[in-house]
Amino acid sequence: MPHTSHKKRRQRQEPLPRNKRGEIESEDGWTRIARSDKAFSINRRHPEADTGGMISSPNDPDYDQDLDEGYTQMTFTPTPAETPAGASLEKALSHYQKSDSAWKQSNTWAELKQTFDTRISTEHLNITNCICFGLSSPTGLTGAGFDRRDISMYQLAAFKSIIDLLSSQQAQPPAAFAQEPQFNTLDHQLLAHLDIQAVHHPAAFHLITAQSFTFCPGAEHREWVPNDLPGAERAELMERIRRDAVRGAGIFHRFKKGKQSFRLPDFGHEYALYNVYLFWRSSSAEGEEEGEEV
Ligand SMILES: C[S@@+](CC[C@H](N)C(=O)[O-])C[C@H]1O[C@@H](n2cnc3c(N)ncnc32)[C@H](O)[C@@H]1O
């Protein structure tokens, strides 16, 4: 959706042909969420990840590339997480209950709830759906030696707590969805038990509307540059990464307009939620100054 209100818009440039409108080929396949009209969202682990650690400003010609048409592309083959021997829905629910209990005792949850009660609910956002991206597998093993089940369970508990909070505050409870290529059959069962519908890429991207709450826990953007890449290819890849990072900063700059934000205190368990920001659309939010650096 074009942003015609952008006061200092430079002449729109043609999308770069090589990278298909900014496709990001990260190692774990994170693509992009190019919609800036979400009601609010939690994202972000490292602010510097928006720019790949590079300084970017609206003076950069790539900054103002408008990628807001919701383009997404999976850049790897989805592989469900391995279900460990002896795993069951009963055990998964027990694990979930423990994670939920730790989450509900945390200062992170207390501050989140307080922010909802005093700042977000006053905006009457009427959230119709809650969408979680990239939870990883709460019940399975996601790669050689990788056991991120605790992290995923805490993040699932946080997501579910927000769904429940919205349900208690709104006339209509929101629908809930989760998209993660690594979900296995047990994950689907666990999510269904919590009234969260697992969907396959790219369905969740198309569910996002102005009344959506989106949650992307631990969604930092990583790029993989092979050590043995020849010089010219390396330079080309680095330049593409730079352009993607700069345009990502531009998207984030537009996303923040008209929204308020709050940084939650870190949730210490397994670093499942740290440097997490809440963003929400607010009638009293001031637009950012044009020319401000992100
Ligand atoms: C950086 S990991 C974060 C995993 C977990 N939330 C954590 O904090 O450890 C990003 C996750 O995004 C998932 N992912 C990649 N492409 C996705 C897509 N198109 N839709 C949803 N999830 C995706 C990956 O499978 C991976 O589990």
Side-chain angles (χ1 to χ4, degrees):
M1 187 188 301
H3 291 266
T4 48
S5 61
H6 204 282
K7 282 183 244 153
K8 282 193 198 161
R9 174 166 292 285
R10 282 177 291 281
Q11 201 167 11
R12 190 172 170 166
Q13 300 177 3
E14 285 303 307
L16 295 161
R18 187 182 172 281
N19 61 8
K20 300 176 189 163
R21 296 172 186 269
E23 159 192 333
I24 294 173
E25 297 167 8
S26 60
E27 191 185 358
D28 59 5
W30 259 107
T31 46
R32 68 172 65 254
I33 303 170
R35 299 280 300 267
S36 66
D37 58 352
K38 296 184 282 296
F40 65 98
S41 86
I42 296 180
N43 197 333
R44 324 204 39 235
R45 196 172 263 180
H46 301 291
E48 69 276 14
D50 287 322
T51 59
M54 295 172 236
I55 305 294
S56 59
S57 83
N59 297 327
D60 190 303
D62 287 322
Y63 185 85
D64 212 13
Q65 287 272 338
D66 194 338
L67 297 169
D68 222 8
E69 58 278 286
Y71 177 84
T72 59
Q73 181 169 335
M74 182 87 89
T75 56
F76 66 111
T77 308
T79 314
E82 178 194 336
T83 307
S88 67
L89 180 58
E90 196 184 2
K91 285 183 187 164
L93 282 169
S94 166
H95 188 178
Y96 173 79
Q97 296 302 345
K98 282 189 194 133
S99 307
D100 183 55
S101 170
W103 165 247
K104 294 278 173 54
Q105 287 169 29
S106 72
N107 190 34
T108 320
W109 163 242
E111 292 273 341
L112 175 57
K113 191 166 179 318
Q114 163 92 348
T115 308
F116 260 86
D117 290 345
T118 59
R119 299 180 64 187
I120 301 180
S121 62
T122 56
E123 300 291 346
H124 305 293
L125 294 172
N126 188 28
I127 301 302
T128 55
N129 64 18
C130 298
I131 310 166
C132 180
F133 293 88
L135 191 63
S136 188
S137 169
T139 73
L141 305 173
T142 51
F146 285 113
D147 187 349
R148 300 184 70 81
R149 287 176 292 177
D150 281 350
I151 292 174
S152 184
M153 278 292 186
Y154 288 129
Q155 294 173 345
L156 177 58
F159 181 55
K160 174 67 174 152
S161 71
I162 295 169
I163 298 166
D164 292 344
L165 197 55
L166 289 167
S167 301
S168 70
Q169 291 179 348
Q170 299 185 170
Q172 289 290 327
F177 304 93
Q179 178 173 293
E180 165 58 67
Q182 296 181 330
F183 283 156
N184 58 30
T185 306
L186 193 51
D187 293 326
H188 282 250
Q189 290 171 353
L190 173 65
L191 291 166
H193 194 88
L194 300 173
D195 290 326
I196 299 168
Q197 186 186 339
V199 294
H200 295 285
H201 175 99
F205 291 106
H206 301 305
L207 291 166
I208 300 174
T209 73
Q211 258 70 51
S212 293
F213 162 62
T214 61
F215 181 53
C216 313
E220 70 264 30
H221 172 209
R222 283 189 293 151
E223 289 281 356
W224 184 58
V225 182
N227 284 333
D228 55 353
L229 204 61
E233 282 178 49
R234 185 181 194 84
E236 196 184 346
L237 178 60
M238 294 305 287
E239 171 55 15
R240 184 181 62 70
I241 290 171
R242 188 201 65 78
R243 282 198 307 246
D244 282 343
V246 172
R247 282 177 297 171
I251 289 168
F252 186 53
H253 182 77
R254 288 192 291 277
F255 168 79
K256 286 195 296 182
K257 285 190 177 159
K259 298 199 177 67
Q260 293 203 16
S261 64
F262 177 70
R263 185 195 190 283
L264 292 171
D266 294 344
F267 177 66
H269 296 259
E270 303 282 351
Y271 299 99
L273 294 160
Y274 63 94
N275 203 13
V276 168
Y277 284 75
L278 277 171
F279 291 93
W280 66 94
R281 189 180 301 118
S282 167
S283 45
S284 60
E286 291 183 12
E288 287 179 59
E289 291 300 314
E290 292 289 337
E292 180 184 328
E293 290 203 359
V294 175

